[in-house]
Amino acid sequence: MELKIEHNSPVPLHAQVEKLLRELIKQSPYREGGFLPREVELAKELGISRNTLRQATNKLEYEGLLVRKKGVGTKVAEQSVVTHLQQWQSFTQEMNEQGVKFKNYKLVTEWVEAGEKVGRFFDLPEDALVLKVSRLRGDDEGPFVFFESYFHPRIGLTGEENFSRPLYDVLEQDYQVTPSLSKEKIKARLATSITAGRLKISQGEPVLVRERFVYDAGELPLEYNLGFYRADKFTYTIDIKR
């Protein structure tokens, strides 16, 4: 497959690159798990900046089509089912709708460096400071879910907010920011010693891990969220209409 884009086209370069990559990863040897050309080589061949190339590869990675391994390269992800949920809410709203009474066992807010994955999603340097909110939640019997949320600095959060309120109420009512799109990845994992300690289960027990990428109406990133659920407490259901 010829790797070429039209620099004089009215179509933005990153959109052309994204379309090109979608076709490229269907070809051999990439669809069989082969690594894509190195970023610097591919950018040079296309005559574009690495930032433009990264816009396209980031989008395909968040869609679950590509997997990036630091120090190794980027390859096509193994086939997985991606389901777009028609409605999603904050945890507080979900529990309230179901009449589930829960409590906050621990709530910590802190400013931390974005790091590689959060920085890439937010398009920020790895050492940029972002607000991290950690919440351990459960019922009278004990904790059953642990959340880590990272927020883009442009929202204006200070860390002094009352995060016992529904999260998206805080964003919408206090900061006039409306979460409009959520892309999620759901995996089953065995609990590490840290996760087991938080959820009061044994190391090696199954947990449900939900990774959530939240955007505003303009598809600008707002929140990166990780949720670790006790498998014996949660069933994740999806309604699909045809």
Side-chain angles (χ1 to χ4, degrees), residues 136-137 143-147 185-211 226-236:
L136 182 62
R137 297 179 143 181
F144 53 65
V145 62
F146 177 76
F147 293 114
K185 297 180 182 180
I186 303 170
K187 304 175 183 178
R189 287 286 185 268
L190 299 180
T192 64
S193 59
I194 294 176
T195 298
R198 288 169 175 157
L199 299 181
K200 306 303 181 186
I201 58 178
S202 299
Q203 184 176 348
E205 284 193 43
V207 291
L208 179 71
V209 181
R210 187 198 65 196
E211 190 176 22
L226 276 174
F228 300 84
Y229 300 80
R230 282 184 55 155
D232 61 341
K233 287 281 191 177
F234 274 86
T235 299
Y236 208 96

Side-chain angles (χ1 to χ4, degrees), residues 55-85:
Q55 275 185 276
T57 55
N58 282 352
K59 185 169 183 181
L60 268 61
E61 182 181 7
Y62 296 135
E63 289 181 15
L65 298 178
L66 294 179
V67 175
R68 182 182 281 120
K69 295 185 177 181
K70 191 171 184 178
V72 179
T74 302
K75 62 187 293 186
V76 178
E78 295 181 10
Q79 182 103 23
S80 61
V81 177
V82 179
T83 303
H84 298 276
L85 304 181

Side-chain angles (χ1 to χ4, degrees), residues 95-113:
M95 295 301 99
N96 287 343
E97 279 205 356
Q98 297 179 45
V100 177
K101 294 183 179 180
F102 70 93
K103 62 171 64 176
N104 291 309
Y105 280 87
K106 189 174 183 180
L107 194 158
V108 178
T109 60
E110 56 186 328
W111 290 91
V112 300
E113 292 188 353

Side-chain angles (χ1 to χ4, degrees):
M1 178 179 176
E2 183 181 9
L3 300 180
K4 185 178 179 181
I5 58 176
E6 298 294 333
H7 287 266
N8 295 324
S9 170
V11 179
L13 291 178
H14 69 86
Q16 292 188 56
V17 176
E18 180 187 331
K19 182 179 179 181
L20 178 68
L21 289 176
R22 289 185 187 278
E23 293 300 320
L24 181 64
I25 63 179
K26 296 177 184 177
Q27 312 297 318
S28 295
Y30 308 118
R31 67 183 180 188
E32 283 84 30
F35 284 91
L36 297 182
R38 292 177 59 236
E39 189 177 82
V40 63
E41 295 171 352
L42 189 55
K44 183 177 180 180
E45 183 173 354
L46 295 173
I48 59 175
S49 69
R50 292 176 66 180
N51 283 339
T52 299
L53 176 61
R54 199 170 292 124
Q55 275 185 276
T57 55
N58 282 352
K59 185 169 183 181
L60 268 61
E61 182 181 7
Y62 296 135
E63 289 181 15
L65 298 178
L66 294 179
V67 175
R68 182 182 281 120
K69 295 185 177 181
K70 191 171 184 178
V72 179
T74 302
K75 62 187 293 186
V76 178
E78 295 181 10
Q79 182 103 23
S80 61
V81 177
V82 179
T83 303
H84 298 276
L85 304 181
Q86 292 188 346
Q87 184 177 9
W88 54 279
Q89 301 169 310
S90 71
F91 174 82
T92 304
Q93 292 167 329
E94 289 173 343
M95 295 301 99
N96 287 343
E97 279 205 356
Q98 297 179 45
V100 177
K101 294 183 179 180
F102 70 93
K103 62 171 64 176
N104 291 309
Y105 280 87
K106 189 174 183 180
L107 194 158
V108 178
T109 60
E110 56 186 328
W111 290 91
V112 300
E113 292 188 353
E116 180 187 8
K117 188 158 194 173
V118 176
R120 189 165 65 245
F121 175 52
F122 286 164
D123 196 20
L124 295 172
E126 292 185 19
D127 60 356
L129 293 180
V130 297
L131 182 65
K132 173 184 176 182
V133 179
S134 302
R135 294 164 293 167
L136 182 62
R137 297 179 143 181
D139 54 21
D140 290 336
E141 296 179 1
F144 53 65
V145 62
F146 177 76
F147 293 114
E148 285 185 354
S149 290
Y150 301 81
F151 299 95
H152 199 291
R154 76 167 179 279
I155 298 172
L157 294 168
T158 66
E160 301 299 322
E161 292 79 9
N162 177 12
F163 286 106
S164 62
R165 294 167 55 198
L167 173 59
Y168 299 131
D169 281 359
V170 174
L171 296 183
E172 292 181 22
Q173 296 174 12
D174 299 355
Y175 291 92
Q176 292 72 56
V177 173
T178 303
S180 299
L181 174 65
S182 175
K183 297 182 180 181
E184 304 192 0
K185 297 180 182 180
I186 303 170
K187 304 175 183 178
R189 287 286 185 268
L190 299 180
T192 64
S193 59
I194 294 176
T195 298
R198 288 169 175 157
L199 299 181
K200 306 303 181 186
I201 58 178
S202 299
Q203 184 176 348
E205 284 193 43
V207 291
L208 179 71
V209 181
R210 187 198 65 196
E211 190 176 22
R212 174 179 278 180
F213 304 87
V214 180
Y215 303 78
D216 65 13
E219 293 201 22
L220 294 175
L222 294 178
E223 177 202 10
Y224 172 76
N225 174 279
L226 276 174
F228 300 84
Y229 300 80
R230 282 184 55 155
D232 61 341
K233 287 281 191 177
F234 274 86
T235 299
Y236 208 96
T237 62
I238 301 172
D239 295 328
I240 302 174
K241 293 182 179 180
R242 183 178 180 182

